[in-house]
Amino acid sequence: ILLFCLCIAVLVGIIPESGPHFVFIVLFAACSLPFSILLANSIVQDGHGSLPLLAESRKGFIIIKAINLVVGLLVGFIGLAFGV
């Protein structure tokens, strides 16, 4: 079930807004999610910072989000493997 939560957290992180990230902060604060899932979501989620890039270059936006997604998943899997 934690792997499913990790995938959801990373997919929600793709949204270029900071609002959906708050859900994972609240769940972590309530001790419902491990830190590795919050960290993975934080790596992928860049708030409104990517909106200017999206306006300038869709291809660049997709490339950056893909890199963030891969790094977030790797960090999340490693964190879950070590029990963080």
Side-chain angles (χ1 to χ4, degrees):
I1 197 162
L2 287 177
L3 291 177
F4 179 72
C5 290
L6 176 64
C7 292
I8 295 294
V10 170
L11 290 176
V12 168
I14 293 174
I15 302 170
E17 286 191 23
S18 56
H21 177 66
F22 189 69
V23 172
F24 295 97
I25 293 172
V26 170
L27 288 172
F28 173 73
C31 298
S32 297
L33 285 179
F35 178 71
S36 56
I37 292 178
L38 175 65
L39 182 61
N41 178 261
S42 297
I43 290 171
V44 178
Q45 213 289 325
D46 53 8
H48 292 90
S50 64
L51 288 177
L53 179 61
L54 179 60
E56 183 67 29
S57 167
R58 288 182 189 240
K59 182 180 178 183
F61 175 81
I62 291 170
I63 290 170
I64 294 299
K65 281 296 188 174
I67 292 169
N68 287 347
L69 186 106
V70 169
V71 172
L73 280 174
L74 283 174
V75 169
F77 284 134
I78 291 169
L80 286 176
F82 284 107
V84 178

